Amino acid sequence: MEQKLKELQAEALQKIEQAEELKALNDIRVAFLGKKGPITEVLRGMGQLSAEERPKMGALANEVREAISEKIETKQKALEAAAVEKQLASETIDITLPGRPVKVGNHHPLTKVIEEIEDLFIGMGYKVAEGPEVEKDYYNFEALNLPKGHPARDMQDSFYITEELLLRTHTSPVQARTMEKHEGKGPVKIICPGKVYRRDNDDATHSHQFMQIEGLVVDENITMGDLKGTLQVFAKKMFGEDREIRLRPSFFPFTEPSVEMDITCKICGGEGCNVCKGTGWIEILGAGMVHPNVLEMAGFDSKKYTGFAFGMGPERIAMLKYGIDDIRHFYTNDIRFLKQFAVTE
Ligand code: FA5
């Protein structure tokens, strides 16, 4: 029996050595180590052995099994490695070939301008606030000193959804919402970018849906000087150090006094040309000191607190900055237009 086991081991090891494929190796495993294999067969005859010989044979049989298993495992690893080698050799990549360029998209010009404005104000300590686009009449108008039936509501033609709900016509309702949250305690220092909607007829400078960025500062001792200084920094950073600003008296129900801000025309430098209609100035935003009624309605003591607010249209700012002549370019998604802003910064 001992002889038989040794012969089986030698035969198996030789076959394993000669195996060239994983399948052949598996066949050998089944043939020699399987339940119906010759080693099992030999072990079945152990009953006829003497009690002394039986453990010796058992141990030998285990040694033989182990030797065969080990050899199979080593060979399997070698065959697998060879298979990988072969595959790699057949799939060699020519690293000298030029790569296929990856098409990189770019930010929409409007997104760029909005992010630039956000960064600028964040740098001055402002927080970014947001509010709903479907807004309550209360926040869009009433809390901003525009009670129902007020004639100044006609300044902004609105899309009403129900009597009390509308698509917000400006970002100023975020002012009212934010102040309300502060429960009468300053300081408040926010900007709110977002979409707004008006029943305006679309033309080169008007869109029925556009963006606005609102700014609001409320604290003790805030003055018109703070407003002017802030807007000056904004204009110079946005359009260039050589640009000047001026504030013109205007009217908004939620600010008193109210102003509109002009900057010197980039084209003529203030001399007067057809872009600025000969005035040397271009209007870019509305602003003013927060009306005491608005402060009081939001829970602030208007004797203690004052504030300023401003609201601008980033489309108009982007048009001025990049010399774009029609607001509709922002919304028609013409790739030829959008590609012009693919500058790597
Ligand atoms: C307002 O909407 C005020 N809420 C701004 C404000 C805020 C004033 C805080 C005072 C204090 P106005 O209607 O002027 O103001 O709009 C502000 C800006 O939005 C305009 O300067 C313009 O740039 C832009 N804008 C207005 N209507 C349109 C439109 N139909 N299409 C594109 N941009 C527009």
Side-chain angles (χ1 to χ4, degrees), residues 160-180:
Y160 269 90
I161 293 164
T162 67
E163 271 206 9
E164 293 306 324
L165 277 182
L166 74 161
L167 297 181
R168 67 179 177 191
T169 53
H170 51 174
T171 40
S172 300
V174 188
Q175 282 188 29
R177 284 179 174 274
T178 310
M179 281 195 276
E180 210 177 68

Side-chain angles (χ1 to χ4, degrees), residues 245-260:
I245 69 160
R246 74 173 181 190
L247 301 181
R248 263 183 304 105
S250 183
F251 171 76
F252 296 103
F254 30 90
T255 46
E256 180 59 36
S258 301
V259 292
E260 271 178 322

Side-chain angles (χ1 to χ4, degrees), residues 170 172 198 200 206-207 210 212 214 252 254 311 313 316 327:
H170 51 174
S172 300
R198 287 187 197 176
D200 283 346
H206 291 85
S207 176
F210 57 101
Q212 276 195 344
E214 191 84 6
F252 296 103
F254 30 90
R316 302 255 177 99
I327 197 170

